[in-house]
Amino acid sequence: MAENTAMKKISLCVLILAVVLSSFYVLDFKAAQSETRTNSVISAYSTGDPQIDFPGRIYLYVESEDPVSKSLRESLGAELEKAGMEVLVTDAVEEKYDSQVLFVNISKHGGIYTPVYASSDLNILFFYTSTGEDTKYFEQFKEGNVTVVFENAGSQKGEKLIRGDMELQDSTKGIVSLKAYRKHLAEEAAKKTVEQLQQQISVFP
């Protein structure tokens, strides 16, 4: 009888522990402090007199369907909307769009996660075109340094291209679920990306 009672207590403890541990991978909660650093290298290329519709309508493409990229897509959409943009999420890179476009790719994602400590090292490439043209450079920039050459197609409309290479390093200590940690990384990356984009667009030409 005593043995059965002991086994029931052990089973209950194991069940409770399993529920607690699983909550860190399913729920969204955070009681932790984060130290996040970003370092960006931005390049801008212009031709003519770009008339940029910012804020305005913008297409957003975030490459990959992994959890971090999905979270970044949501956070970028929210940050762009806060900046007054009408965001249209696209799931493919087209040769040409009818409005400005922001492409994003997470080229590196390293780090560790535990329920009481997490760290990450992200490398993020973002590429913006004010006209929705010259999207070919997104793939080329992912492969390495590329010289931008504007082709004269007879149009008098100016164009501005912006390339950003950002490194985000984060250290978070405290109680944090995996979902909340991914959300934290995405929000930090999104804020910095939109901030850099606004700064470069405001620079003439």
Side-chain angles (χ1 to χ4, degrees):
M1 189 73 175
E3 185 177 343
N4 288 338
T5 301
M7 286 299 297
K8 287 180 180 179
K9 288 182 178 180
I10 293 173
S11 298
L12 180 60
C13 289
V14 171
L15 179 60
I16 293 173
L17 181 61
V19 171
V20 171
L21 289 176
S22 64
S23 68
F24 280 94
Y25 292 87
V26 177
L27 302 181
D28 182 354
F29 58 89
K30 180 185 177 188
Q33 290 187 332
S34 298
E35 181 180 343
T36 308
R37 299 184 302 276
T38 58
N39 181 39
S40 302
V41 177
I42 311 296
S43 302
Y45 315 85
S46 297
T47 181
D49 181 15
Q51 302 299 311
I52 302 176
D53 184 23
F54 198 99
R57 186 173 63 175
I58 189 168
Y59 288 92
L60 172 64
Y61 172 75
V62 179
E63 197 164 48
S64 183
E65 290 297 319
D66 64 85
V68 176
S69 295
K70 285 182 178 180
S71 189
L72 180 57
R73 184 183 299 119
E74 293 177 5
S75 295
L76 276 169
E79 283 297 316
L80 288 167
E81 287 176 352
K82 270 199 259 182
M85 304 294 290
E86 176 192 353
V87 181
L88 303 175
V89 177
T90 179
D91 59 2
V93 176
E94 304 292 343
E95 184 177 342
K96 182 179 179 180
Y97 295 83
D98 61 5
S99 183
Q100 58 197 326
V101 187
L102 175 63
F103 298 116
V104 182
N105 168 263
I106 300 178
S107 58
K108 173 188 173 185
H109 180 203
I112 61 172
Y113 168 78
T114 72
V116 294
Y117 174 76
S119 67
S120 286
D121 187 0
L122 299 180
N123 285 355
I124 299 170
L125 164 72
F126 63 88
F127 171 68
Y128 166 87
T129 163
S130 64
T131 62
E133 301 178 6
D134 287 320
T135 61
K136 62 185 179 183
Y137 287 114
F138 177 58
E139 293 296 330
Q140 294 179 21
F141 283 144
K142 287 194 301 180
E143 297 174 0
N145 294 325
V146 174
T147 299
V148 171
V149 178
F150 289 102
E151 298 176 2
N152 187 356
S155 173
Q156 299 300 313
K157 184 170 63 174
E159 180 182 12
K160 187 162 192 173
L161 307 180
I162 300 171
R163 168 192 177 171
D165 292 287
M166 179 169 63
E167 181 180 15
L168 184 149
Q169 295 178 323
D170 178 84
S171 176
T172 294
K173 298 177 182 179
I175 299 174
V176 58
S177 70
L178 180 58
K179 187 174 182 179
Y181 185 60
R182 286 170 177 162
K183 182 179 179 181
H184 160 68
L185 293 176
E187 289 176 346
E188 291 294 324
K191 287 177 185 177
K192 193 64 176 179
T193 299
V194 175
E195 176 186 306
Q196 296 280 4
L197 195 61
Q198 288 176 304
Q199 288 177 358
Q200 290 299 318
I201 287 175
S202 65
V203 176
F204 183 83

